[in-house]
Amino acid sequence: MAKILVADDDARLLKMVRRTLIYEGFQVVTAANGAEALALVQQESPDLVILDWMMPQVDGITVLTRMRDAEDNTPVLMLSAKDAIEDRVEGLDSGADDYLVKPFAPSELLARIRTLFRRFEITGKNRALSYADLYLNPTTRETRRGDRIFDLTPKEFDLLAYLMRHPRQVMVRDRILEEVWGYDFGGDDNVLEVYVGYLRKKTEAGGEPRLIQTVRGVGYVLREE
């Protein structure tokens, strides 16, 4: 799952964008000002930055300039209420990869994001995943809980990776089966429950608290109790 940093001082817009992106399956981190955005760029290493121009403390153009000066080539989608041609030119010349004028429709925002992802070949599929003290690396296939390393079968790994790409989201049972086992899955109806049991046994083998929670009658969610 690709990670997107959204920086905007408009709390309502920030909430809307965050909700839209999470619904589309992205991992989202947010910043309410430019200083916080600069810190999160370094801490979170996002795959894409959505950056408002007019923000307190440090404006978006300054954030963008500092990123490019530091040779950070992370794709940036600039947001602004400034719609004059010279403003768009300034934003793009400062290093933005695209420029979206407010107000905008969520569908247009998503279309711009998809275009940038294709342009920069961003998938996020190989990004290391972490939640609480649980860590999973799709590239090395390493899994650990705190300092304790444990092994998973390929299907156990796929299931855990899927849940970790959607932390704190209740995932419907049928959707999990479709995404992890495939749309044509026609196996044992209890296979998901069995594999969740396997994962719980391995992730809790050191006495750690449960992270894979059952939502009765719906499915499962990865969250701390």
Side-chain angles (χ1 to χ4, degrees):
M1 174 176 55
K3 181 187 292 186
I4 299 178
L5 167 62
V6 185
D8 200 303
D9 63 326
D10 184 331
R12 292 181 62 184
L13 185 142
L14 193 63
K15 183 178 179 180
M16 180 275 288
V17 172
R18 181 179 183 275
R19 183 173 60 245
T20 299
L21 296 180
I22 289 176
Y23 183 81
E24 292 297 319
F26 296 111
Q27 184 178 355
V28 182
V29 290
T30 60
N33 58 67
E36 188 177 352
L38 279 171
L40 287 173
V41 165
Q42 296 185 354
Q43 295 170 14
E44 298 288 342
S45 299
D47 297 296
L48 176 72
V49 176
I50 299 175
L51 188 62
D52 181 38
W53 184 325
M54 303 300 292
M55 289 189 293
Q57 298 187 30
V58 181
D59 64 38
I61 291 294
T62 302
V63 172
L64 181 56
T65 300
R66 291 183 185 178
M67 287 175 61
R68 298 315 187 218
D69 287 346
E71 299 184 354
D72 184 336
N73 295 316
T74 303
V76 172
L77 171 58
M78 179 70 74
L79 303 179
S80 178
K82 297 185 175 187
D83 59 355
I85 293 297
E86 54 267 27
D87 294 321
R88 299 181 190 224
V89 170
E90 181 180 354
L92 295 171
D93 280 350
S94 296
D97 299 286
D98 198 359
Y99 190 103
L100 182 59
V101 176
K102 298 178 180 179
F104 53 83
S107 58
E108 182 178 7
L109 174 67
L110 292 171
R112 299 292 186 101
I113 290 171
R114 288 193 295 268
T115 298
L116 287 171
F117 275 26
R118 288 194 298 269
R119 179 173 157 193
F120 290 91
E121 299 182 347
I122 299 169
T123 65
K125 290 183 178 179
N126 293 323
R127 172 182 288 278
L129 304 170
S130 62
Y131 179 75
D133 60 349
L134 188 60
Y135 173 88
L136 180 150
N137 190 319
T139 301
T140 64
R141 311 292 286 188
E142 177 188 357
T143 49
R144 67 173 186 262
R145 187 82 189 265
D147 295 327
R148 182 176 63 82
I149 297 174
F150 58 92
D151 295 323
L152 296 176
T153 67
K155 192 56 67 178
E156 290 169 353
F157 189 95
D158 292 344
L159 175 56
L160 183 58
Y162 179 75
L163 293 174
M164 291 184 70
R165 289 189 176 104
H166 302 85
R168 296 179 296 277
Q169 298 179 52
V170 177
M171 308 309 296
V172 177
R173 184 181 183 281
D174 288 346
R175 182 177 176 184
I176 298 174
L177 287 170
E178 290 176 355
E179 295 291 338
V180 178
W181 275 267
Y183 285 94
D184 297 325
F185 174 74
D188 187 346
D189 287 343
N190 295 322
V191 66
L192 178 56
E193 288 72 18
V194 170
Y195 273 82
V196 166
Y198 293 156
L199 285 179
R200 283 173 172 166
K201 183 177 181 179
K202 292 183 177 182
T203 58
E204 301 167 19
E208 300 93 345
R210 176 159 296 179
L211 290 178
I212 304 175
Q213 315 293 343
T214 300
V215 181
R216 196 170 301 279
V218 181
Y220 297 93
V221 58
L222 185 74
R223 68 184 175 206
E224 297 178 276
E225 291 182 307

